[in-house]
Amino acid sequence: MNNTILSSVLLAVSFALCAPAVAASAKTQPESKTSTQQSQKGKLEIAQHIRSEDLIGIWGTGAETSEGSLLNMTIMKRDGTGTDLMVFVINNPESSLKIKQAFSWQFDEKTQTFTQRTTDFATSEDGKTYKQDPSEIGKTRTAKVRMLLLGGKPDMLEFTDTANGEKISYFKQDPAKLREALK
């Protein structure tokens, strides 16, 4: 499957998922703050400063149309490592592509810049055995980061690639809810 097509699909999905949250954020800005608790409860706002700690956890996005579906998950750990999993399914003719990527990451809190270095990369088409792609290993990507907070807690994460300007958005996932959904 062509990487350009996948990049275009990911970009379109991130815009589609991001737009309602950003619009809701603009509508929910309070006119005055009477207390910290009152101003934070249920409020959507763009984080003024993101900390490395805010990135830790499970983040995901997904979309489904009559043509197919996309699931894109990333897990970022405290030790500076992470894992990406993307599953792309086309309905007619039926086919699928799975991408697994392991990476190391750093976040510069001063510049709000995220750097990711691929340490393993493998793909599987139509349920076949994963094949490692050595040409992807060692690649480094840098992105500016923005975060949408809900009630003062991380809710949506947006990466803007510094090389090409492409954006991708993820929503914070609750591990307990994910375990329940996978049962």
Side-chain angles (χ1 to χ4, degrees):
M1 196 173 281
N2 187 324
N3 284 340
T4 304
I5 293 171
L6 289 175
S7 294
S8 298
V9 169
L10 287 172
L11 184 60
V13 168
S14 69
F15 283 136
L17 293 172
C18 178
V22 172
S25 173
K27 292 178 184 176
T28 59
Q29 296 295 325
E31 292 184 23
S32 65
K33 293 181 183 180
T34 55
S35 74
T36 302
Q37 184 180 21
Q38 184 180 31
S39 68
Q40 294 298 319
K41 187 177 179 183
K43 177 184 173 187
L44 284 171
E45 61 184 329
I46 295 174
Q48 297 302 309
H49 182 77
I50 301 166
R51 301 170 301 142
S52 295
E53 183 72 20
D54 296 329
L55 303 175
I56 307 300
I58 303 170
W59 298 85
T61 190
E64 187 171 356
T65 68
S66 59
E67 289 84 27
S69 60
L70 169 72
L71 173 64
N72 195 3
M73 303 288 293
T74 190
I75 301 169
M76 288 190 267
K77 301 175 190 170
R78 293 183 194 288
D79 66 0
T81 63
T83 304
D84 287 331
L85 174 64
M86 185 181 82
V87 180
F88 186 63
V89 177
I90 297 174
N91 293 338
N92 192 12
E94 190 173 317
S95 67
S96 67
L97 173 66
K98 295 178 184 176
I99 299 172
K100 289 191 309 186
Q101 172 178 273
F103 59 90
S104 60
W105 65 274
Q106 295 178 329
F107 184 67
D108 184 329
E109 292 183 15
K110 184 176 180 181
T111 63
Q112 302 288 277
T113 303
F114 180 86
T115 304
Q116 173 182 312
R117 183 178 176 277
T118 303
T119 57
D120 192 22
F121 189 93
T123 61
S124 169
E125 291 189 44
D126 299 325
K128 295 178 183 165
T129 304
Y130 277 92
K131 290 189 230 175
Q132 190 177 52
D133 183 351
S135 69
E136 292 293 323
I137 297 171
K139 285 189 177 181
T140 301
R141 292 173 181 82
T142 304
K144 293 300 272 181
V145 179
R146 291 188 335 152
M147 185 176 285
L148 187 64
L149 305 174
L150 176 61
K153 295 182 180 181
D155 187 58
M156 188 178 94
L157 185 60
E158 178 187 76
F159 293 103
T160 302
D161 190 297
T162 56
N164 60 24
E166 288 183 2
K167 296 178 187 237
I168 188 162
S169 299
Y170 295 96
F171 293 90
K172 187 75 173 200
Q173 303 298 308
D174 181 338
K177 288 181 182 177
L178 283 175
R179 277 191 290 279
E180 187 63 32
L182 295 173
K183 285 184 180 182

